[in-house]
Amino acid sequence: MFKLAEFIVRNPKRYNVRSTYSMAHKVFVYGTLKQHEPNHHWLTNPNHGVARFVAPGVTKTKYPLIIATRYNIPFLLFSPGNGCNVKGEVYEVDDVMLSKLDILEDHPNYYIRTMDDIIIERNRSLEKEVVCCWVYFLMNFKPELLNKQQFENYSSSDTHGLPYMESNNESTLDDLDEDDVFKK
Ligand code: PCA
């Protein structure tokens, strides 16, 4: 039964259905999940459910986007008003994909997934729209992280020289100690 439902969701035109329920979540990604970045394959893996690119987006509120830990992981620090209006990409995802992303981001132990306003331009029409999306933030972080270099648009291979390090674990965060980034 589940397999049939999944097939219908993946082939909505054939069955003349709109899969609005299962694609109910919008996620804004700003780090390794973006196109051409090291974890983008999580969004395209058919075993992870469904993700559909909606548009490039930018956070309505400014936040510090930093790179930290020995694995050079990008983090959006929950410090509204500091940093930049951060650039990223908005995706619509189904329940299965959202649960897979939560595993990668170790939500709610490491990143915390929170709703936030994202500004997008649809169909290059230049008309801006604000959409509410899930975003993976670091909360309760060490204040020293605010002294790190802050970015507007993350890329692992940028001139900062801090490329993201993969780990053998499903989530790289499994290899880290919590006190690497969190307040004691
Ligand atoms: N992955 C998530 C959060 C940070 C990261 O590397 C993202 O791309 O939005």
Side-chain angles (χ1 to χ4, degrees), residues 28-30 34 57-59 65 85-89 152-154:
F28 171 75
V29 303
Y30 59 84
K34 292 193 300 184
V58 60
T59 58
L65 169 57
N85 299 100
V86 170
K87 294 186 174 149
E89 296 164 0
E152 182 184 21
N153 196 358
Y154 172 81

Side-chain angles (χ1 to χ4, degrees), residues 46-99:
N47 299 324
H48 285 184
V50 186
R52 186 181 73 82
F53 175 76
V54 175
V58 60
T59 58
K60 190 174 157 195
T61 303
K62 292 184 172 163
Y63 295 104
L65 169 57
I66 58 134
I67 299 176
T69 80
R70 62 184 181 279
Y71 289 102
N72 295 332
I73 300 173
F75 293 107
L76 203 52
L77 303 180
F78 194 76
S79 180
N82 288 318
C84 303
N85 299 100
V86 170
K87 294 186 174 149
E89 296 164 0
V90 173
Y91 289 83
E92 255 170 17
V93 302
D94 66 357
D95 296 341
V96 182
M97 182 64 77
L98 193 63
S99 66

Side-chain angles (χ1 to χ4, degrees), residues 26 31 40 50 54 69 71 84 88 92 140 156 158 163 167 181:
K26 284 196 178 60
H40 185 67
V50 186
V54 175
T69 80
Y71 289 102
C84 303
E92 255 170 17
N140 203 27
S156 169
D158 219 337
S167 113
V181 292

Side-chain angles (χ1 to χ4, degrees), residues 4-19:
L4 175 63
E6 192 178 288
F7 187 77
I8 291 172
V9 164
R10 284 170 197 273
N11 299 276
K13 284 205 179 114
R14 183 165 169 178
Y15 288 90
N16 197 24
V17 291
R18 284 204 51 178
S19 51

Side-chain angles (χ1 to χ4, degrees), residues 73-138:
I73 300 173
F75 293 107
L76 203 52
L77 303 180
F78 194 76
S79 180
N82 288 318
C84 303
N85 299 100
V86 170
K87 294 186 174 149
E89 296 164 0
V90 173
Y91 289 83
E92 255 170 17
V93 302
D94 66 357
D95 296 341
V96 182
M97 182 64 77
L98 193 63
S99 66
K100 291 288 179 192
L101 297 182
D102 285 348
I103 293 170
L104 175 69
E105 310 304 352
D106 202 0
H107 163 76
N109 302 314
Y110 227 94
Y111 290 90
I112 305 236
R113 174 161 56 78
T114 307
M115 282 281 192
D116 202 36
D117 281 345
I118 304 297
I119 303 169
I120 62 169
E121 271 171 27
R122 275 196 201 263
N123 306 327
R124 302 174 190 272
S125 61
L126 297 184
E127 198 150 301
K128 294 196 188 328
E129 192 183 325
V130 176
V131 289
C132 202
C133 298
W134 290 114
V135 184
Y136 291 95
F137 281 103
L138 201 63

